[in-house]
Amino acid sequence: MKIKFLLGLLFISQISCVTAAEFAYVTNEKDDNISVIDLQKQQVIKKISVGRRPRGIIFNHDQSLAYICASDSDRIQILDLNTEAIVGELPSGEDPETIALHPNGKTIYTSNEDDAILTVIDIASSLVIAQIEVGVEPEGLAVSPDGSLVVVTSETTNMVHWIDTKTNKIIANTLVGARPRSAQFTRDNQHLWVSSEIGGAVVVIDVASKKIIKEFNFKIRGIHRDRVQPVGIELSRDGHYAFVALGPANHVAVINRESMEIENYLLVGRRVWQLALNQDQSQLLTTNGISGDVSIIDVNKMKVTKSIKVGRYPWGVAIKHINDK
């Protein structure tokens, strides 16, 4: 009995030595760098120089590399997250803005706003394998969880273009509100959420039929409707919430995905743009372009708990989760 007790204590002590660290990587458009935020300390711990006008940022599957849209350098840069050095570049076409990774981890998609194309890149060979003509000013990108579809929103054409990832051909188009920005698939592959910046709305599209089944319009007391401009969308992993950045309205809308009702509006920094949830979904980070900071929202309390200064015009954000023993 005593031996079992001691073994139990040893097991517990080993568990207690495991701590989770998280770091948010924030692209700063005007500073040509990335601010790294330690989420435990809730402060910027370093800045990493990258190409000109960094915007979209994503990680590979094991979070060892970051892919960064250096828009004015006309490149996607590859950042080694361990050495914090740029270790490669991918040909992206002109002015890459947003970026998405196929579930197979081998293919990257990026939107080229000025050329009205979607560029498809093979990571291993660093070669462009397709360039697909889409609507005017392509912006938001998303790949379906099953990897069969990639969608791109076109700001001027006001459409969502549905592309078969096997053939790299457009198979359908869905008309949405004015200046569509972000697109996010649900984890079950059933629905696509799309924001329309000038239209002031978010729609939910049925993936099977490619038709809109729900529209959300946002009204914030004391704020003119022209300032309510939905951009970034983040869907919680548990299927309960959708968070929508409302741009110059300086708020994040909280939507209950079970009741499909808007529950709350949270005041954040100026011109909130993109969003990211941490690993356990307890914190939501927002990039606030005009105020040059990141807001941290406690998801359980639905309250902003911290504002962290980063750089000039923060745009994208991605969060790395590390288990240390």
Side-chain angles (χ1 to χ4, degrees):
M1 181 66 71
K2 186 175 181 180
I3 292 174
K4 289 183 178 180
F5 176 76
L6 291 173
L7 287 173
L9 286 178
L10 178 61
F11 178 73
I12 291 170
S13 67
Q14 288 176 335
I15 291 176
S16 66
C17 291
V18 179
T19 58
E22 290 183 303
F23 301 91
Y25 290 74
V26 179
T27 56
N28 298 307
E29 273 194 270
K30 297 292 186 180
D31 288 339
D32 301 338
N33 64 21
I34 291 174
S35 295
V36 183
I37 301 172
D38 184 322
L39 292 186
Q40 288 183 332
K41 297 178 180 178
Q42 296 200 341
Q43 65 185 36
V44 174
I45 57 171
K46 65 188 71 173
K47 293 191 177 183
I48 303 170
S49 295
V50 293
R52 291 183 294 147
R53 200 184 180 193
R55 291 192 279 180
I57 179 171
I58 58 173
F59 297 145
N60 65 345
H61 290 329
D62 67 7
Q63 296 193 331
S64 62
L65 300 172
Y67 300 105
I68 304 152
C69 288
S71 298
D72 286 354
S73 297
D74 298 331
R75 286 288 185 271
I76 292 173
Q77 295 186 308
I78 305 172
L79 175 69
D80 186 311
L81 295 177
N82 294 316
T83 65
E84 297 175 350
I86 299 295
V87 294
E89 292 184 336
L90 297 174
S92 62
E94 292 185 7
D95 192 29
E97 182 172 355
T98 56
I99 186 170
L101 181 67
H102 192 279
N104 66 16
K106 300 176 181 179
T107 307
I108 274 182
Y109 302 87
T110 189
S111 58
N112 303 106
E113 189 173 50
D114 294 340
D115 295 330
I117 58 174
L118 173 70
T119 297
V120 187
I121 307 161
D122 177 72
I123 297 173
S125 65
S126 296
L127 293 176
V128 172
I129 56 178
Q131 287 192 309
I132 305 162
E133 292 186 3
V134 292
V136 180
E137 292 188 276
E139 172 81 13
L141 281 175
V143 183
S144 60
D146 65 4
S148 65
L149 295 167
V150 58
V151 298
V152 58
T153 64
S154 56
E155 294 182 38
T156 302
T157 314
N158 299 333
M159 281 188 176
V160 175
H161 308 287
W162 304 77
I163 298 165
D164 185 314
T165 57
K166 290 183 179 179
T167 63
N168 288 322
K169 302 291 185 183
I170 295 176
I171 59 172
N173 299 292
T174 303
L175 185 66
V176 293
R179 196 172 286 273
R181 284 287 190 176
S182 294
Q184 291 286 326
F185 281 96
T186 55
R187 289 170 64 85
D188 61 8
N189 217 67
Q190 299 298 307
H191 301 121
L192 179 75
W193 290 59
V194 177
S195 63
S196 294
E197 184 179 17
I198 302 303
V202 165
V203 296
V204 182
I205 302 172
D206 176 69
V207 172
S209 66
K210 314 293 187 292
K211 293 182 179 179
I212 294 171
I213 59 173
K214 177 70 176 180
E215 180 173 329
F216 297 95
N217 292 279
F218 307 97
K219 296 179 181 179
I220 305 173
R221 186 175 180 180
I223 296 177
H224 194 277
R225 64 181 181 180
D226 288 347
R227 295 185 62 80
V228 180
Q229 299 175 11
V231 279
I233 299 172
E234 183 79 350
L235 304 178
S236 65
R237 195 167 52 240
D238 61 8
H240 190 65
Y241 290 116
F243 300 96
V244 182
L246 298 179
N250 306 333
H251 281 74
V252 170
V254 182
I255 299 172
N256 186 315
R257 288 164 58 193
E258 295 171 359
S259 65
M260 295 298 273
E261 299 290 339
I262 300 168
E263 278 193 352
N264 205 349
Y265 295 102
L266 305 175
L267 179 64
V268 291
R270 296 175 61 199
R271 203 216 68 174
V272 55
W273 197 251
Q274 299 293 342
L275 310 165
L277 283 161
N278 69 338
Q279 177 68 19
D280 68 5
Q281 312 277 279
S282 64
Q283 293 182 324
L284 177 73
L285 273 62
T286 76
T287 57
N288 311 314
I290 300 298
S291 52
D293 56 17
V294 167
S295 298
I296 298 180
I297 296 170
D298 184 314
V299 173
N300 294 320
K301 296 179 180 178
M302 287 299 170
K303 180 180 179 181
V304 175
T305 57
K306 184 80 172 180
S307 176
I308 302 172
K309 277 289 183 181
V310 283
R312 293 183 299 164
Y313 286 82
W315 198 97
V317 56
I319 300 174
K320 180 178 180 179
H321 180 85
I322 302 172
N323 281 328
D324 293 327
K325 292 185 179 181

